[in-house]
Amino acid sequence: MKVTIDGQEIEVEAGTTILQAARKIGGESVPPAMCYYSKLEGSGGKCRCCLVEVAKGSDADPRPMPKLMASCVTGCMDGMEINSKSSERVREARQSVTEFLLINHPLDCPVCDQAGECDLQDLSFEHGKSKTRFIEEKRTFEPEDIGPNIQLHMNRCILCQRCVQVADQLTDNRVHGVMDRGDHANISTCISKAIDNEFSGNMIDVCPVGALTDKTFRFKSRVWFNKPYNAHRECTTPGCCGKTTVWMFGDEIQRVTGRKDVYHEVEEFICNKCRFDHKDPADWVIEGPREFDKDSVINQNNYTQKLDTVHIATEEGILKGRAQDRKKISMPDIPLDKEQEEIFKQGNL
Amino acid sequence: MSKKILLDKINVPGIKTYEVYRKEGGYASVEKAMKAMTPDDVVEEVKKSGLRGRGGAGFPAGLKWSFIDKKSGKPRHLVCNADESEPGTFKDRYLMEFIPHLLIEGMITSSFALGANLSYIYIRGEYMWVYKILERAIAEAKAAGWLGKNILGTGYDLELYVHCGAGAYICGEETALIESLEGKRGNPRIKPPFPAVSGLWANPTVVNNVETIASVPWIVNNSGDEYAAIGIGRSTGTKLISASGHVKNPGVYEIELGLSVYEFMNSDEYLGGMSSDRPLKALVPGGSSVPILPADLIYKTANGEDRLMTYESLSDGGFATGSMLGSGGFIVYNDTSCIVRNTWNFSRFYHHESCGQCTPCREGTGWLEKVLWRIENGQGREEDIDLLWSIQSKIEGNTICPLGDAASWPVAAAIRHFRDEFEYHVRFPEKIKNRNHFVAEPFAQVKHLVTKQTV
């Protein structure tokens, strides 16, 4: 069947969702998704970030759909015409969902371990407003210890429920889920249990924000200081692919994650042994450096890119700027003499 | 005098018991349906009757029944939605409490029509005493042979259970109800698939409100055409209205659809006019989730026609000048009522009851409530009124289920029709610090202050 997204036509198989079709096209028409995760059954539909306008239902029934539809759970129909990026309604809806997501989410990116890899950060960059209209106090939760490997920071959770689906679909005993309702809803264990099953670490990988982070990596480094390499090992855990990305600082493996695609979804899930226990480079066969999007924050430190060499000639050169600042900041009222003025104009003061 | 279909026998002493109910002609529709009709005949009669879902949405019941997937070969279910939790709506409770066998009879007849062998009544957790009444009525019906194996020797089997919810408004949404019935957290499902294709345990399921199902026996006994003759246009039959607020005779009434709002409000047969003879200020005609109507749009529509108790007339003009019949929760306000506080109160409810699954509802309902609280407590800012409007407009239509809309509409309507009252709250915070600010000084008396400042 044929569908058109933002004027671009594509042929897809029956059962394809609008989001999947958009991802086939790629580029700016791909709606953002915070709760949908292609590797998890039944995910999607909750965050409402991926709303699109269905301008034509299908060739058989060309009526437009009155409401915006969640593209991750809406199936394509033959002849369907969809407006994503090109629709003003969609733009407004995404902007408002971003605003809703941020009203109770702390903007603690400077200390959050997810900074640089956070989907909400990306979403706000693309669809957010520069100013908040929410002046009330944000809701907060008491910290909760949920086990040896994962740190839960409930204040940052956006209730996408991906971690619950991981626990449902990958692990034997789900001990956590959503408690309470409305904006008091929270992820918690029932009751005070530890999440320690063999695949629980994948909850960290699927979390789009910094609500679930790796205790072995926490506060060790910012992701853009690490260098990611594809690596693998012979893993004997049933269900684990053994293929990972190891994040290195010098010769040290600081953390291990699943390999993620351009939509930040892991290609295959890995076990906790690979993730938490093997931090020695000798445990791994390093395949080579991992490529990232040009605009990715992680790419800011990308060694694969040719960088200009910065020459700092002398100690004087380093201090030059500081002296200039000192003058500007500390002594604004002291006028410069003529000689100084000349030097200042040349930019050497 | 309106024709009575549901509450006709309500005053018969002992009608709650099986013996009396049966003596009064109860369970005749089951006999008629099973002995003289096919299941499709029953569906056809319900279609002909024009009966619309009485839970609030008003979708034609017969049409909904006809959507049920019969080809899949899977077991089918009928689920009665008795999770009546909307503020201002209490008519299903009345029906179940005083004439429980009517619902049981409706469940049996409807289950037969749908080919369901396992049916449920999902009742609101807070209605524990009604739950017990229904349990007892089911036991009586089963003992009398109306439930169980081979009913009336027709080979048709039906088991009927009452399931008590844990007290969540969202479980009144049909897919959340199904989730809850399956033992899961009561979160709405994303549609499609619709329950008629994949409902309870992924089987074809019809979810109907108590009042809808209780109307089926009369339709089967008297024919769909006769039912369709009651009412006006597409609003056929009778409707239970639960009236509350500043009226002389609050209570549950059965009216013929098409009765004028004026007559319902003022005749002695019904509400008997305003209590304390104070002026009518506003009306919520269909439960807390529907838009509020100001006094000048209550008895007349925007184009000057008489406002009738019908789906069409109450929604005439859209939300700009109309509202909805909804579930029939008729809430009346006199001039001492504070619309801002009322809106805050509704918002507080929806904030508390939002399931938290989708972003606009989870975050938006809380935000609405917080801003309304500030305005009502003298801490509002001028820009808060536009902020409220903006928040509600971003919730509406963008959520998984209608709870988001239900939270949004009352706020939108309150601002649309009573904006000056919001402005008064913002501009004169010291005047509204008294909790009963409009009791001694109704808004009509101070309205000029807002107008003056605006000018």
Side-chain angles (χ1 to χ4, degrees), chain B residues 94-370:
Chain B
Y94 191 73
L95 207 56
M96 291 187 286
E97 188 178 349
F98 294 105
I99 185 160
H101 282 283
L102 181 62
L103 176 62
I104 314 283
E105 183 182 350
M107 284 298 288
I108 300 167
T109 312
S110 309
S111 298
F112 171 75
L114 295 165
N117 300 111
L118 182 55
S119 297
Y120 289 89
I121 299 170
Y122 185 100
I123 192 168
R124 180 184 179 183
E126 288 88 340
Y127 284 178
M128 183 47 81
W129 80 101
V130 186
Y131 167 79
K132 287 176 181 166
I133 290 168
L134 285 177
E135 282 272 84
R136 189 179 156 176
I138 288 173
E140 285 176 335
K142 192 161 188 177
W146 299 104
L147 286 166
K149 296 265 177 210
N150 195 17
I151 301 166
L152 301 179
T154 56
Y156 174 69
D157 307 332
L158 176 65
E159 289 300 331
L160 177 62
Y161 297 103
V162 192
H163 180 96
C164 200
Y169 171 70
I170 189 61
C171 290
E173 195 279 336
E174 62 176 357
T175 56
L177 184 154
I178 290 170
E179 285 279 294
S180 172
L181 202 50
E182 288 180 0
K184 296 181 221 154
R185 186 181 158 86
N187 282 351
R189 291 178 183 172
I190 289 153
K191 293 189 267 190
F194 290 90
V197 176
S198 177
L200 188 61
W201 300 304
N203 294 333
T205 305
V206 164
V207 182
N208 275 147
N209 175 257
V210 171
E211 192 187 338
T212 317
I213 292 172
S215 303
V216 172
W218 195 94
I219 293 167
V220 170
N221 287 333
N222 299 278
S223 88
D225 289 334
E226 202 163 323
Y227 189 87
I230 307 165
I232 287 180
R234 288 177 58 231
S235 296
T236 62
T238 64
K239 174 90 189 82
L240 293 185
I241 303 289
S242 48
S244 58
H246 298 130
V247 286
K248 284 203 173 101
N249 313 317
V252 177
Y253 295 89
E254 183 172 13
I255 58 151
E256 270 184 54
L257 286 169
L259 182 77
S260 75
V261 175
Y262 184 86
E263 192 181 345
F264 183 63
M265 274 288 297
N266 296 298
S267 80
D268 289 338
E269 187 189 344
Y270 300 109
L271 307 188
M274 299 296 290
S275 60
S276 318
D277 293 324
R278 294 202 72 100
L280 172 63
K281 179 175 185 178
L283 167 70
V284 174
S288 67
S289 62
V290 310
I292 195 166
L293 285 173
D296 55 341
L297 289 171
I298 292 172
Y299 298 135
K300 297 276 180 195
T301 61
N303 54 17
E305 288 169 10
D306 282 346
R307 182 85 77 182
L308 306 178
M309 300 288 283
T310 63
Y311 291 94
E312 293 76 22
S313 182
L314 280 169
S315 60
D316 186 71
F319 288 168
T321 57
S323 181
M324 289 166 83
L325 179 62
S327 57
F330 201 84
I331 313 169
V332 182
Y333 303 92
N334 71 16
D335 64 337
T336 64
S337 308
C338 173
I339 299 299
V340 178
R341 189 190 304 152
N342 173 63
T343 313
W344 165 59
N345 208 15
F346 284 170
S347 274
R348 193 168 53 149
F349 173 78
Y350 290 109
H351 173 206
H352 185 259
E353 296 296 339
S354 165
C355 79
Q357 196 183 195
C358 63
T359 310
C361 181
R362 180 183 66 240
E363 305 294 346
T365 51
W367 196 2
L368 280 179
E369 196 225 313
K370 286 177 180 119

Side-chain angles (χ1 to χ4, degrees), chain A residues 85-114:
Chain A
K85 178 111 181 159
S86 60
S87 162
E88 184 58 23
R89 269 175 84 195
V90 170
R91 197 189 63 76
E92 267 180 35
R94 286 184 192 161
Q95 201 175 50
S96 55
V97 170
T98 310
E99 186 178 29
F100 282 136
L101 282 173
L102 286 171
I103 64 170
N104 276 316
H105 185 97
L107 295 173
D108 56 353
C109 309
V111 295
C112 175
D113 274 283
Q114 191 85 352

